[in-house]
């Protein structure tokens, strides 16, 4: 039923019949087919051949997200739900402009006067975007890494008013996520990393001495590669002040992804054995 519904909707091998294709896909979804739920979400987002309906798309993605035993399906649903809030359809996306994409702009929440409800809606959308994209990234969906890096940076700006305090910094984690996306071929991630590294390497992460001074030859943190120091004393002090936590947090995602892969393989083997 799922295959026939998709085939009729897309018009592959048969005459295209959008309404019949939608109807069959809905039936398959109602019978518990998670791929059909994801497919319906996609169809209602694009509106190819029928009316675009974002609430219906979110409805189907949310149901698909509830299939905890379907790791990849849940990751896909989480990604789409996270991007809904990240992009123009979410309140968060509406309030941020193109410059935000490079992580340089201060969130509009700090630039404009909003009433209490508007501020709450925007902040809530940021939290939801972070939540869903984190789930997707933790389940190994690489395309969720870069938008998650940007959300973490912007959320940090709002929560800490742009202050990068040791122990509470998201820079190492965001840079690590961006590197994963860049290694996966995301060109915007590469440009963002270059921009951030230029800014970060301009001064010592602890004492803030400028790298432009002849006496300051900054050395990069060998572990997270997102902090620079003018000397060993500053590096040790910064580490004890909280960079140890920030640096360690950057590698947390890899550990979770590996655990998810092990779980998925174990479940697959047990299922094949009928256990």
């Amino acid at each position: 039923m799922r295959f026939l519904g998709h085939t009729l909707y897309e018009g592959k091998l048969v005459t295209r019949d959008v309404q019949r294709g939608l109807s069959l896909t809905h039936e398959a979804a109602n019978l518990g087919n998670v791929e059909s739920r994801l497919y319906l979400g996609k169809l209602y987002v694009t509106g190819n051949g029928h009316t675009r309906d974002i609430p219906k798309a979110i409805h189907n993605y949310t149901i698909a997200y509830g299939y905890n035993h379907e790791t990849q399906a849940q990751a896909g649903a989480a990604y789409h739900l996270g991007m809904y809030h990240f992009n123009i359809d979410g309140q968060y996306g509406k309030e941020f402009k193109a410059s935000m994409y490079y992580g340089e702009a201060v969130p509009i929440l700090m630039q404009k006067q909003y009433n209490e409800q508007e501020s709450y809606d925007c902040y809530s959308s940021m939290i939801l975007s972070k939540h869903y994209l984190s789930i997707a990234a933790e389940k190994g969906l690489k395309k969720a890494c870069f938008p998650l890096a940007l959300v973490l940076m912007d959320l940090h700006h709002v929560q800490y008013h742009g202050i990068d305090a040791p122990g509470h910094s998201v820079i190492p984690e965001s840079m690590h996520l961006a590197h994963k996306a860049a290694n996966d071929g995301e060109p915007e991630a590469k440009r963002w990393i270059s921009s951030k590294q230029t800014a970060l390497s301009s001064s010592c992460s602890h004492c803030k001495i400028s790298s432009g001074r002849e006496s300051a030859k900054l050395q990069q943190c060998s572990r997270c590669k997102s902090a620079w120091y003018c000397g060993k004393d500053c590096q040790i002090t910064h580490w004890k002040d909280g960079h140890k936590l920030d640096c360690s947090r950057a590698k947390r995602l890899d550990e979770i992804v590996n655990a998810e892969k092990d779980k998925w393989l174990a479940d697959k083997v047990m299922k094949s054995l009928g256990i």
Side-chain angles (χ1 to χ4, degrees):
M1 187 180 297
R2 174 180 67 87
F3 176 77
L4 180 58
H6 295 189
T7 301
L8 285 170
Y9 181 87
E10 296 173 7
K12 293 181 179 179
L13 306 176
V14 297
T15 302
R16 191 181 188 198
D17 188 334
V18 172
Q19 294 306 316
R20 181 59 177 158
L22 274 176
S23 177
L24 288 172
T25 304
H26 270 288
E27 286 186 43
N30 290 335
L31 290 172
N33 185 267
V34 67
E35 287 82 5
S36 293
R37 283 292 175 194
L38 290 172
Y39 191 67
L40 284 172
K42 175 185 174 182
L43 298 187
Y44 283 118
V45 167
T46 59
N48 182 18
H50 61 93
T51 304
R52 186 170 183 258
D53 194 327
I54 295 300
K56 284 186 178 180
I58 297 304
H59 171 75
N60 282 285
Y61 282 137
T62 302
I63 293 175
Y65 176 73
Y67 284 78
N68 295 325
H69 60 288
E70 297 283 356
T71 301
Q72 297 305 308
Q74 189 182 47
Y79 171 76
H80 287 294
L81 289 169
M83 292 305 292
Y84 161 74
H85 292 284
F86 182 78
N87 285 326
I88 194 65
D89 289 313
Q91 184 67 26
Y92 170 43
K94 290 177 182 176
E95 303 300 342
F96 289 78
K97 307 304 178 184
S99 57
M100 180 280 298
Y101 200 65
Y102 297 95
E104 300 300 328
V106 176
I108 291 178
L109 272 176
M110 298 173 64
Q111 298 179 12
K112 295 170 63 176
Q113 293 296 320
Y114 281 99
N115 63 44
E116 185 176 348
Q117 187 59 48
E118 289 173 331
S119 296
Y120 175 79
D121 289 343
C122 188
Y123 184 68
S124 296
S125 203
M126 293 172 73
I127 294 293
L128 287 169
S129 182
K130 174 192 173 185
H131 169 74
Y132 287 120
L133 290 174
S134 294
I135 295 294
E138 288 171 1
K139 291 186 178 296
L141 198 61
K142 292 182 179 179
K143 64 181 179 180
C145 289
F146 188 42
L148 176 58
L150 300 181
V151 172
L152 288 174
M153 292 291 288
D154 289 312
L155 193 55
H156 180 269
H157 273 297
V158 172
Q159 291 176 327
Y160 296 98
H161 301 280
I163 299 173
D164 188 44
H168 301 278
S169 176
V170 297
I171 291 176
E173 186 175 4
S174 293
M175 290 289 281
H176 182 66
L177 287 163
H179 275 293
K180 289 178 73 68
N183 292 337
D184 199 44
E186 171 56 67
E188 295 296 344
K190 294 178 181 179
R191 286 194 282 270
W192 185 83
I193 290 169
S194 178
S195 174
K196 293 302 294 182
Q197 285 184 331
T198 299
L200 292 169
S201 63
S202 65
S203 62
C204 175
S205 297
H206 177 64
C207 71
K208 308 304 179 185
I209 188 172
S210 173
S211 60
R213 293 175 55 174
E214 293 183 4
S215 60
K217 296 181 180 180
L218 304 187
Q219 299 297 316
Q220 190 180 36
C221 173
S222 61
R223 189 176 185 186
C224 70
K225 302 186 185 305
S226 60
W228 278 258
Y229 303 101
C230 61
K232 192 172 183 179
D233 289 343
C234 276
Q235 184 173 11
I236 292 174
T237 302
H238 197 242
W239 179 263
K240 292 179 178 179
D241 284 348
H243 183 65
K244 176 181 179 180
L245 297 174
D246 302 329
C247 205
S248 300
R249 199 181 302 121
K251 299 294 183 181
R252 178 184 62 87
L253 178 65
D254 292 335
E255 296 172 0
I256 295 174
V257 169
N258 290 334
E260 283 285 345
K261 286 181 179 178
D262 291 342
K263 181 179 180 299
W264 180 78
L265 286 171
D267 290 345
K268 191 173 183 180
V269 170
M270 292 181 73
K271 188 175 182 180
S272 68
L273 295 173
I275 299 175

